[in-house]
Amino acid sequence: MDTLRKLKRHLRRGSLYRRSDLERWSNSVDRHLKQLLTDGTLQKMSQGVYYYPKETVFGFAPPDEAALVRSFLKDDEFLITSPNAYNSLEVGTTQLYNKRVVYNHKRHGEFDLGGRKFFFHMKPRFPKNLSTEFLLVDLVNNLDSLAEDKEMVLSMAKEKARKLNPAKLKRAVLAYGGSKAKKVFSSVFEGHHA
């Protein structure tokens, strides 16, 4: 029991741990993991990822989404977004989606992390942070998956594009645009030269 107490001293509330992290402090990590899960010290988030819950006045706080994804992917190369982010563009999208999308280089598919669904999409390139230009390109890339009136949204997206910095938008289209986005925005760029 002494080694379990020593292991617990290394754990920090609000942190995520992989089994390999715990091996540093335990010579029988599987037995200790089982005990820590049984006594409620740790919660299993996904295969091989465990959370030491942080207590708040409202109960236990869920882990930070970015920390969950970072622990799952074992790296920092990802971007978390949602179709809800398109609403900030003011191009006619108003639906609220309960969907988290993770652009990354390693995983593809739907994964449950800590009771929340994440849709992982492998992409060769994506920005570190969301920008208006990236969101507009991403919106056109994903237009067919949205519930809104696609023609109206596309028309408003083109209007929005005309108000943005053309050089920044062109860079975003070249870096992140699919064939549809490249076609849609090429007409906007041609309009700029007129």
Side-chain angles (χ1 to χ4, degrees), residues 4-84:
L4 183 62
R5 224 184 341 265
K6 279 183 192 163
L7 170 60
K8 278 185 180 182
R9 272 196 235 129
H10 291 284
L11 302 177
R12 298 283 168 258
R13 288 206 174 269
S15 296
L16 289 155
Y17 297 96
R18 298 191 74 80
R19 184 186 177 283
S20 55
D21 299 329
L22 302 176
E23 285 175 343
R24 290 181 283 178
W25 309 306
S26 169
N27 52 4
S28 52
V29 73
D30 292 318
R31 184 168 51 88
H32 287 147
L33 252 176
K34 193 173 180 184
Q35 289 172 306
L36 293 169
L37 289 167
T38 302
D39 73 13
T41 302
L42 292 181
Q43 296 173 355
K44 187 173 182 169
M45 292 290 109
S46 67
Q47 189 61 45
V49 178
Y50 304 90
Y51 177 56
Y52 186 18
K54 188 178 219 159
E55 213 164 342
T56 69
V57 291
F58 304 108
F60 290 114
D64 172 63
E65 280 188 350
L68 258 179
V69 170
R70 188 176 301 110
S71 184
F72 178 71
L73 290 173
K74 297 184 200 167
D75 78 20
D76 281 330
E77 293 292 312
F78 62 86
L79 176 70
I80 301 174
T81 185
S82 160
N84 297 336

Side-chain angles (χ1 to χ4, degrees), residues 8 10 173 186 192:
K8 278 185 180 182
H10 291 284
V173 171
S186 71
H192 267 290

